[in-house]
Amino acid sequence: MKPARLHHLFAIMIACAAGVLAALAMTSHLDKPLLGPHSFRQTQTAISTFYMLGKPGMFVDYITPVLGKPWAIPMEVPFYQWMVARTAEISGASLDAVGQAVSAAAWFLCMLPAWMILRSLRVALEVRALAAAIFLSSPLYLFWGRSFMIETTGTLLSLCMVAAVLASPPRIFWLLAALVFGVAAALCKATTWAVAAGVGILLVVFRDGWPDLKKWKWQLATVAALALPVIPAKLWLAWGDSIKEQNPFARELIIASSPNQAAWNFGTLEQKLNPATWDHIWKHVTDQIFVPFPLLGPLLLPGVLIVGAVLSPHRIPAMLALLAGFVAGPVIFTNLYFEHSYYWCANGVWLLAAVGVALAGVWDFKPATWWPKAMTIGLTMMICLSGFLTWRARFLPMLKSLPARQQLEQAWTKPIQDIVPQNRTILIVGNDWNPNSLYYAGRKGIAFPIYKAIPFPGPQLEESLAKLEPDERLGTVVINPAALNSHPEVFEKFLKERGFSLSGQPTPFGILFPSLDLKHGEPPGS
């Protein structure tokens, strides 16, 4: 077999092997509850999806019943949630498993626009296959790519947007497609879209080296297609804020236009200038993106980037554009990337794409010789092996440590559902506005947020309880033991005044105090 044919075969085999291993990793332990890292965000997405089941017409009017009435507190447009709900109805599988499987499927679909982007950057077919293997073996996506969240859906839409503007030959059709994907991406996850739009602009201008001023009209049209989605995104945020204003807790916490929300998203100047911030962010990178290798440690991917740049300097502008996308995430949205390790799904793709371009620089070096291609294949195998081993050592134990679904159902779901009728509301205190307990109870509720401007019980809770219809009144109060012990007299007074038993029973999510009108822990009339 000729060397060229052999190299081609090796590249395809590595990509296929990575795909199989990734599928096995991302579908393992789908039966476990969503109680791992950042479970708050997963169950927040899942509870909205739960209330979409059997309601195909529910879309922009979806609810997230965790902060009381009105139950709707719209954040993103629920493309992902709607798809999961419909898939769960068709398949009959558990919602947790379907949500994670759909997220994983979206990540696999990301390979198509990533392939198109690399092709537009003149990356050889074999190197595109090797780059796909690197994408699929990334521990970041092996773990977070299967979470019950919108991350991979937003990434898929954003990659499609960038692939469309880079399509060759450039046509109006592709600009319109980019605009459609961009609008969907901005409505699904604005922070992911914003970074991708910047990458798209840089690649359009710099993919062939330094800017070609003769193409300025087309480049201007491309910039417009990438930037215009900001308009529907702002309109959506304004409409969402008008809904949240009606919720006494949401108006304090998650109004998009509030200074508090801006600080939460972008961070403060003090945070951005604090070396401890970047030390923590660097830990995120080394823990889940830079795969370690013996002797090299986390320097394998940076080393590949340097080698590729040295061997093929003409690829440096494209690599820098992609790396700018990777760096822009934490630089712009500093606090989000500081707090949430899953946020790196939005920008990790650009680092991995830059590695793919760097490998193309190695592959194309001295085309008549065999060793650059063998070196490219060897580097790819090192990265893929390190990626899978990192997932196995760091993330697989997290999945294994989660309780079995049956354990959670016996300890929480069945007891709470036996006590609280489906239409009654649950008040959760001391766990912030974490929706884990409400989601697995299958009940709407008020997860009382821990926030200095919201005292307990306070005017916000009084207003929220007043919004409940008589048949929605509180069925039980669940209080975190630490919160209960810190102010026992406050909670005792509240329980007495509201007609709750003072004899609590322990549960995985706190001490449960049922309403006195629920006899023996059973719904009235049962």
Side-chain angles (χ1 to χ4, degrees):
M1 185 179 293
K2 294 182 179 179
R5 184 68 178 170
L6 190 62
H7 294 146
H8 179 87
L9 181 61
F10 273 147
I12 299 300
M13 288 175 61
I14 291 170
C16 290
V20 171
L21 291 174
L24 292 173
M26 297 180 78
T27 55
S28 64
H29 301 285
L30 290 182
D31 56 327
K32 294 293 187 73
L34 308 173
L35 297 179
H38 295 298
S39 59
F40 171 99
R41 191 63 180 91
Q42 294 196 64
T43 54
Q44 185 185 93
T45 308
I47 199 169
S48 296
T49 309
F50 175 80
Y51 285 96
M52 284 184 169
L53 292 173
K55 300 174 184 176
M58 179 182 282
F59 190 58
V60 296
D61 57 340
Y62 74 105
I63 64 173
T64 310
V66 300
L67 288 175
K69 294 186 74 172
W71 304 118
I73 48 171
M75 286 172 270
E76 66 273 350
V77 174
F79 299 112
Y80 166 76
Q81 293 92 322
W82 191 90
M83 182 62 68
V84 172
R86 305 289 78 80
T87 305
E89 290 168 353
I90 294 170
S91 67
S94 74
L95 188 60
D96 286 4
V98 172
Q100 293 174 94
V102 169
S103 186
W107 172 239
F108 275 87
L109 287 174
C110 285
M111 297 306 104
L112 179 58
W115 182 279
M116 295 172 63
I117 290 170
L118 291 175
R119 183 178 63 184
S120 73
L121 297 176
R122 296 177 179 82
V123 174
L125 184 147
E126 293 87 352
V127 183
R128 276 177 266 154
L130 296 175
I134 291 172
F135 276 92
L136 292 170
S137 63
S138 170
L140 171 70
Y141 294 99
L142 290 174
F143 186 74
W144 292 116
R146 50 77 61 82
S147 59
F148 203 128
M149 290 192 284
I150 62 175
E151 306 311 308
T152 54
T153 302
T155 301
L156 173 61
L157 293 170
S158 297
L159 284 171
C160 287
M161 173 188 70
V162 175
V165 297
L166 294 177
S168 184
R171 293 176 181 168
I172 295 296
F173 167 80
W174 288 116
L175 278 188
L176 292 176
L179 181 59
V180 171
F181 282 123
V183 169
L187 294 175
C188 177
K189 182 137 188 167
T191 53
T192 300
W193 161 79
V195 170
V199 173
I201 292 171
L202 290 174
L203 286 176
V204 165
V205 175
F206 293 105
R207 65 172 163 176
D208 296 322
W210 300 112
D212 184 352
L213 297 180
K214 296 178 181 179
K215 299 179 181 179
W216 71 270
K217 291 183 180 180
W218 181 259
Q219 291 172 354
L220 187 61
T222 301
V223 171
L226 291 168
L228 281 175
V230 73
I231 298 174
K234 283 188 170 293
L235 291 174
W236 168 261
L237 288 175
W239 178 80
D241 278 359
S242 70
I243 303 297
K244 295 170 194 167
E245 282 281 3
Q246 303 170 41
N247 185 299
F249 294 108
R251 79 169 70 109
E252 296 282 355
L253 293 170
I254 51 176
I255 296 295
S257 57
S258 72
N260 290 334
Q261 192 65 14
W264 175 256
N265 290 336
F266 299 103
T268 62
L269 180 60
E270 181 182 4
Q271 183 187 35
K272 290 178 184 288
L273 297 178
N274 188 343
T277 298
W278 300 103
D279 181 68
H280 183 75
I281 285 175
W282 176 249
K283 193 172 188 303
H284 277 315
V285 174
T286 55
D287 281 353
Q288 56 186 17
I289 304 177
F290 282 179
V291 291
F293 196 78
L295 301 180
L296 295 177
L299 300 178
L300 180 55
L301 293 186
V304 171
L305 292 169
I306 293 171
V307 171
V310 170
L311 295 182
S312 293
H314 69 281
R315 294 190 179 273
I316 290 177
M319 290 169 58
L320 289 177
L322 293 167
L323 289 174
F326 175 66
V327 174
V331 169
I332 298 172
F333 305 105
T334 305
N335 190 62
L336 293 177
Y337 279 83
F338 179 87
E339 294 285 351
H340 304 127
S341 51
Y342 64 83
Y343 250 84
W344 295 86
C345 290
N347 65 324
V349 288
W350 305 118
L351 170 66
L352 299 179
V355 171
V357 174
L359 288 173
V362 179
W363 181 275
D364 294 338
F365 185 69
K366 295 188 176 180
T369 59
W370 63 270
W371 67 263
K373 295 175 176 55
M375 181 179 178
T376 305
I377 291 172
L379 288 171
T380 301
M381 292 178 67
M382 289 168 61
I383 294 170
C384 292
L385 179 62
S386 298
F388 283 116
L389 290 177
T390 298
W391 171 82
R392 186 174 184 273
R394 176 170 173 76
F395 294 109
L396 181 58
M398 295 183 187
L399 296 175
K400 289 182 175 179
S401 67
L402 296 175
R405 179 63 182 265
Q406 294 78 5
Q407 291 176 299
L408 183 61
E409 289 175 348
Q410 289 300 315
W412 172 253
T413 304
K414 188 176 185 302
I416 198 74
Q417 291 182 352
D418 284 345
I419 294 172
V420 183
Q422 188 169 9
N423 57 316
R424 297 284 285 271
T425 303
I426 300 174
L427 173 62
I428 309 289
V429 183
N431 295 334
D432 206 355
W433 59 295
N434 189 320
N436 291 357
S437 52
L438 295 173
Y439 171 60
Y440 284 110
R443 299 290 186 265
K444 297 176 182 177
I446 304 169
F448 194 90
I450 299 174
Y451 184 54
K452 61 182 179 180
I454 306 178
F456 183 87
Q460 292 88 356
L461 181 57
E462 293 297 328
E463 181 183 348
S464 185
L465 294 176
K467 290 177 178 288
L468 297 175
E469 299 295 332
D471 63 340
E472 295 175 319
R473 65 192 184 280
L474 291 182
T476 190
V477 178
V478 180
I479 307 175
N480 182 290
L484 183 62
N485 294 332
S486 64
H487 299 288
E489 67 288 346
V490 173
F491 291 109
E492 182 178 353
K493 180 181 177 183
F494 177 83
L495 294 171
K496 282 182 179 179
E497 291 177 349
R498 294 287 174 174
F500 291 93
S501 169
L502 297 181
S503 299
Q505 62 184 77
T507 75
F509 296 104
I511 310 300
L512 185 151
F513 300 90
S515 175
L516 291 175
D517 71 323
L518 301 178
K519 297 179 181 178
H520 307 295
E522 296 292 338
S526 61

